[in-house]
Every structure is written in C-alpha cells, then in structure tokens.
Amino acid sequence: MVHSTAEVVAQHERLENERLQLLKSIHDQSGNAYRLENRKGLNFLQNKYNQIVISQREARRGPWTDPLSILPFDIWVHIIEEIVDDGWGSSYRVIYNMILVSKQWKDAIVRIPQFWTQISIEVGFAESEVLQRITTALYLSGNQALTLDIERPIGRDLYDGCHALLAPHSARIRRITFRQTYLSSSWSGSGAISLYQILLSLLPLPNLQDLRLSDSNFTEDQWGILESMPRIRFLEGGVLPLSIVKHVSLVNLETLAVSGRADELFIIMTYLPRLRRLTIMDPSRSVWGWEDDAEVPSDGYRVPPPEQPLALEVLTWQKRDASRLQELLGCSPRLKQLTLWTSWKTLGLALGDVNKLPFLSNTSVNMQWVNSGDKFSSSTVTQNTSIRELSLNFTYCEYKSTKEYQIEQDTNISRLIHSWLPTLEQVDTLSILVGSQRIIPFTFLSSLRYLRVLHLVGAGFDDNSEFPELTLNALEDLRLNHPLQCYNDFLSSLRCPSLLLLILQIMDFNHATNMTLRLPSLQFPRLSSLYWKIPQAKLEISPHMALKSISFSNGASQAAGDFCTYLILRPRDFPSLETVKFYQFPEWDLLFLMLERRNFLLDQSISKITKVFVPTTLGLVLKEPLTSLLGGQFTNRLSNHELSISGMGEIYFDKSLPGCHWCCLSMQACSSPVISMPYPLSLSSIWSEDRAELPIVNPDPPLADHILDWLSQRQTRYDKWKASAEDFNLWTRERVCGSHELDSAFIFSEFSTSNPSSYRSVATATLESVFD
C-alpha cells in the first residue's frame, strides 16, 4: 500500500510522541528498579521503547532498493571502480566484501573484467592464499591491462610461485608498484629476492607505463632494463644517472628523478620532450649531498639553457650547488609545483624568479645546507598572486648548538618571513616545521587574509614576552605539534571564528605527564572535530557547542577517560557530539555509562552518539550491547565492575586463563598462552598512571547517587590494576593473535557493525565458483 506524504508524517509524529512518553516513564521508574516487580515493569517499557526505535529506523530507511537494479549498469560499474581502486594494493578486500552483498552482486562483479585488474603480492600471508587470489584475478580480468602491487621483502619460494602465474601475462602489465613493509626479512621466508631480480624476471614489459620503486640502489648497468620498457611514462622512487637518459630511449617519459650536473641536464632535456615532473639531485644520490658538485666543467664551457620554454610542471631541486637554479626557473614558465632543498643565500637569490612564475601554486622550501655565516638577504620581491600552498622546513638548521648559530638562524627565519610571506597574497595553506622550540614571529599570520589551513611543528615563542593576540578569520584547519608548555598561551591568544578541525600533538612525550592543557571554547565557536594526540597529559574540559567528533590517540587513555567522565556529568556541554574515536582501548565502564546517559536523555536538543571507533574487533559481550546503545536501544550488559579496569584485571592477570593482550582487553575468547618473562615487564602503562579527580561540576541533568559514587572511585580501580600488574611483571601475553586486523578502526552505528571478513574463505569460494 502506498501512503500519502501526510500519512507518513502523521505516523512519524505518532511514533515520536509515543517514544518520548515511554522514555519519560522509563526515567520515572528507573529510581525504583531495585524491587523485582518494578524491574519487570521497567524491562517491559524498555522493550516496547526498543520496538518503536526499530520502527522509526525502518521508516527512515524506507524500502531498500538495490542500486544494481535501479542504476544504469555502466554508472553502477563506475561507482564500484571508484571504491575498488584504492591505490594501495588491497582492492581484493573490497571486492570480496562486495561479493557477499548478494548473489546478484556476485554475478555482476565476477563478469566485469576491470574489477579484477589489480593484483597484489603481500608478505605475511600463506602462499596458497596469495596464489589463489592471483589465479582468480588473471582469469576474471580477461585481457584487461593489469596493475601489480608487490610488498617487500618477499621470499623466493613465494615469488617463484607468483612469477609462474604472471610471466605469461607480462605484456598486460601497465603499472608496477613496490612497497617496503615494516615486516622484517624473517617474514619473507627463505632467500628474500631483490627488487632488481623481480623486474628482470618479468621482462620484457612492452606495455609498462608506470613504475614506482620503493628503494632502488641500481647500478648504471642495471638501469639498462629500461630498454625493455619502451612505453614507460612515469618513473618514481629511483634516481637515474644522466648517462642512462642519454643512451636509453625515454621519449615518453613524463616523470623522472636524475642525479648529475644541471649543466648536463640542459643537454638531455632535448631527449625528454614530454617531461612534466623532474627531480634533480647531486651525483652522489645522497639526500644530504655534502659532496661538492662543480657546475662549471673543467674546460669552462657552460651549456646555455634551452631557447624554447620547457614543459615542466613539477620541479624538485635537491642540489647543494644551485648556481644554475635561476636559469632553470627562468625557462620553466609552466611550473605549478616547486620543491627546493637549498641554503639561505641561494634562496634569497631565487625568490625573485619564484614570485614571477605565473602558474606556481604549490611551493616547498627546505633549508638544508646551512652553515655559520650563511645569511638570507633578498632584493625587492614582486607580489605573487598564484601561490596557494606553502611549506617551510627549518628542521635541518639544528645541528650546531652554539648560541651564536641559533641566533643567526632565528634572524634568517625572521627575515624570510617578513620579506617574502607578505608578498604572497593568496596563500591559503601554510606549513612551518622546525626541529626544536625555534622562535617564530607569529604576528605575520594576521596578514594572510585567506589562510584556511595552518600546520605548525616545533615552533615556539619568547617566554619573556607576552604572546600577541591573533585573529585568523578564514582559518578552518589548525594542526599543532609543540612542546606542551607552549600550548596554553598560544591557544588562548588565538581567535579563529571559522575553525573546524584542530589537531594537537606534542614533540616530547616525556614531558607531558601530569601537565594540563586548557582548550578554550570562546575562541573556536565553530570547532566540529578535535584530534587529541598528547599521551599522558590531562585535558581541562570546557563546553564546545559545535563539536561533532573527538579522537584520542594511542597513549591518551587518561584524557579519553576524563572526557567520558565529564560527558556522564554534563552531556549538555557538548550538544552536537556524534562520534568518539579511541585509538587505544577506553575504560569500558565509563564508555557504557556515558552512552546510556546521553542517548536516552529527554532533552531532544542533545544529539545522540551514533559512532564509536575502537582499535580492533570486539567480543560479543561488548559489541552487541555497544551496537544497541549506539542505535538508541536499551540493552543488557555486563556490570560496571566487570567492564572496569579492576574487573578486567582479574582476568588479564590470571595466569591460568589463556588469551592474547588484545583479546583480553576486547573481551574475546583466545587460546594464546601466557608467557613467562626473564625480566620485569611494565603493564601499568596500558592505562596511564593516574586517574583524574572527579570534575568539580554540578551534574546537568541530575545524576543518580550510585553513578556518582562509581565515578569517584576511578582512581581506586586503577590502583588495583597497577598492583596486579606489578605482581604479573615476570609474565606477559602475546600482543595480538589472528582474530584482529591491525591499523584498522571499526565503526559501530545504528546502521552497521563490522568485523574483518574471512578473505581466505571468500577467495577460495570465488575461485571454486568460477571454475565449477
């Protein structure tokens, strides 16, 4: 039956009124739930309330329509392609998840070849699984061009199996990407194979266009393999000798990194008519390039720059001798992105040419070859209206600790900022990095009227002077990484009426303990997202009316617990909050109490929290009640004690109970045994050393006495955990088992819960269904 809009609206209003009436009745009876008959009545009301919430959710969703059945098929294919092509070699995970949606999706996905063109060889997986994925992709991709992603280090046994499958299809390979993993060579099996050996085994590659190398220490002879790649267009991650460019035909090349003299570079530009992106380094290929590089040949002849303008759009200059940099800039009028590794003297000479480039929008300056006596001086610089993004890196100015040297560098930085930045009228993104608490004249920021994004790393100010008040009306994104003692004065001096995102980090974790950071609210009235990345420091909480999302990094458990406690007491101080992210396990009792308090308020102006991020999957005793609460439903759960750090410690520190570290903290069953240790191991740091005192605020709305008592005993519960950890210090648990996917956050909301899919079983099932 089709209902009119008026009927739908009336039904929605009826359900909402009934829900609010039930919620009020539940609040009225909650105080009398200690009697059995009252508890039964309360359970009846809560179950009825849950049914209404489910009805409302289904009404909001409406009838579910499969996009595959209503969208034109080619549009559906394009949408799936955008989701699948993640550029990191893990598209198979997305594909296998989509196959599980329905039989119709599986049938459609299996018959679209371009969905299967990305092949990844990942270390740390069983050889049979990797080979199954490659076999499936090669068959289902038909004759489509292939993308190959290879993780290193990779063992010879695994690679030999992969090579046997890939070799007949080498003509189809269009892109190869090598990625160096954090895994040690022991993960790769016997005989790790080199990057050069892998490429050599795949030759010839007649249609390869894109080659991205993780680290290539090729000899000049080894670079000769490029002759077997005649269509190569993009080459990243390797530094070619200029002699190779002269003798190997690379007429299609658009991206190149070379080492050699700029004098030679002007000669070989005639060999590369399509070159758009160029990185030029010293012949030593050293990032530091301390070796002298004489740009003037011994015969004194200097090759003139080309008469015709170059087509370069991106230039990275990483050479100590920059005597020909200005000439290169002068013949590259199309430059859009420029990265300089340079000295103060060279920078002063080049700024005039930089500001004259009409299309330059992104500029990065890295002060690298800085010695005593190297001074910045610049002639008159014209105004520039093209540069939008600017990065200044002074971290390499930190290697001499004499006071005179430090004063000299502060002077150079001040001169650069005051003479150049005011000429950049349209800058909207600025990043400044220094290696220590370098004094930066921040007052220049107020002259950047269009500044939207500001990243400051390591910058400080003179402790003997008051910090000036700064008003940045256009600023939307602020990311700070300072010594903690700089934060309070700096943040209190800012006025950022448009700020949406604030990320706070510290440079020295060792000095963060027991320090308190104040986050003022009046200066940031529109702040909607806060990322707290300051381990072991306290957060002085104040109301933020627009904040929608807050994240706590690994190690910030104290601030996370303090925040949950504050929300239990005063949920109205954060009326817009919807998402909380924990990159370390929270104190589960505080999280559940906070959700139960907030998501069942009678005040409908307070938004519900619908998303919680945790570092891994959870056991059912956590996941099911957490999902229900985030969906606005009442639920049964473990007691506060069982969820608390003291209750979890009774299990964690029981040597007779198996389980890895992550399974114990996420309440999952696990068979990993407890391991004895020959030396003491500190486990008290899983949660930080001290719990904050209960905030001296009046609960609003009023809070039950038994919850207030529970919150006031937080330090006592931690003391029990700490005492148990000290008795356990000659034992430990496996860090993680196969039940978890690392480096992933899983979202719980009223619409979805997630666990890692069993990619092994899905890959096997797909393979069997294809060849049946």
Side-chain angles (χ1 to χ4, degrees), residues 78 127 145 166 181 183 217 225 260 379 461 474 492 547 614 687 754 765:
H78 283 303
E127 180 179 346
L166 292 170
T181 69
L183 298 175
N217 295 317
I225 61 174
S379 56
F461 55 91
S492 62
L547 193 70
V614 291
W687 282 288
S754 57

Side-chain angles (χ1 to χ4, degrees), residues 448-460:
L448 302 177
R449 296 180 299 163
Y450 303 103
L451 189 63
R452 296 188 306 105
V453 180
L454 176 61
H455 299 177
L456 296 175
V457 178

Side-chain angles (χ1 to χ4, degrees), residues 1 85 108 186 210 231 364 389 394 456 549 562:
M1 177 182 292
D85 188 14
S186 61
D210 191 341
R231 300 185 65 184
S364 177
E389 299 182 27
F394 307 118
L456 296 175
S549 173
D562 293 348

Side-chain angles (χ1 to χ4, degrees), residues 556-706:
S557 63
Q558 176 164 343
D562 293 348
F563 185 76
C564 287
T565 302
Y566 189 94
L567 280 187
I568 295 171
L569 295 169
R570 297 186 64 83
R572 288 193 173 105
D573 286 357
F574 293 84
S576 304
L577 191 67
E578 298 174 349
T579 301
V580 184
K581 302 179 183 180
F582 302 99
Y583 291 89
Q584 182 175 347
F585 288 111
E587 296 175 56
W588 296 114
D589 57 325
L590 299 181
L591 175 61
F592 275 90
L593 286 171
M594 182 266 287
L595 293 174
E596 290 168 341
R597 164 83 152 163
R598 184 184 186 90
N599 286 3
F600 301 112
L601 287 173
L602 289 171
D603 187 350
Q604 299 304 295
S605 66
I606 310 297
S607 66
K608 293 180 173 61
I609 292 179
T610 58
K611 295 183 179 66
V612 170
F613 289 63
V614 291
T616 183
T617 52
L618 302 179
L620 290 177
V621 293
L622 289 177
K623 185 177 72 173
E624 289 188 350
L626 182 59
T627 304
S628 296
L629 290 174
L630 292 170
Q633 296 176 248
F634 289 96
T635 185
N636 295 319
R637 63 167 175 85
L638 298 177
S639 68
N640 290 338
H641 172 71
E642 292 170 308
L643 292 171
S644 69
I645 54 179
S646 58
M648 294 180 69
E650 295 174 2
I651 297 174
Y652 191 99
F653 300 116
D654 187 340
K655 294 188 287 289
S656 66
L657 298 177
C660 73
H661 170 82
W662 278 37
C663 280
C664 285
L665 296 184
S666 58
M667 296 193 175
Q668 300 189 68
C670 177
S671 60
S672 300
V674 178
I675 305 170
S676 62
M677 296 290 292
Y679 52 85
L681 180 69
S682 174
L683 290 170
S684 60
S685 60
I686 295 175
W687 282 288
S688 54
E689 292 294 332
D690 296 300
R691 306 292 98 181
E693 296 292 333
L694 196 63
I696 305 176
V697 294
N698 294 322
D700 182 22
L703 190 60
D705 290 340
H706 71 277

Side-chain angles (χ1 to χ4, degrees), residues 365-435:
V365 176
N366 304 274
M367 305 313 304
Q368 182 169 358
W369 294 287
V370 177
N371 296 316
S372 296
D374 181 19
K375 296 183 179 180
F376 174 83
S377 61
S378 176
S379 56
T380 303
V381 180
T382 59
Q383 294 294 111
N384 179 286
T385 59
S386 63
I387 295 179
R388 298 292 193 276
E389 299 182 27
L390 177 63
S391 174
L392 302 175
N393 184 352
F394 307 118
T395 57
Y396 301 104
C397 302
E398 312 296 331
Y399 297 101
K400 297 182 180 180
S401 58
T402 64
K403 184 176 182 181
E404 293 76 10
Y405 177 80
Q406 300 296 335
I407 294 174
E408 186 177 83
Q409 298 312 310
D410 286 340
T411 302
N412 285 333
I413 293 172
S414 180
R415 287 175 179 172
L416 172 65
I417 287 175
H418 286 302
S419 64
W420 187 32
L421 267 63
T423 70
L424 308 179
E425 299 177 352
Q426 302 295 323
V427 167
D428 61 18
T429 301
L430 175 62
S431 175
I432 299 179
L433 293 82
V434 299

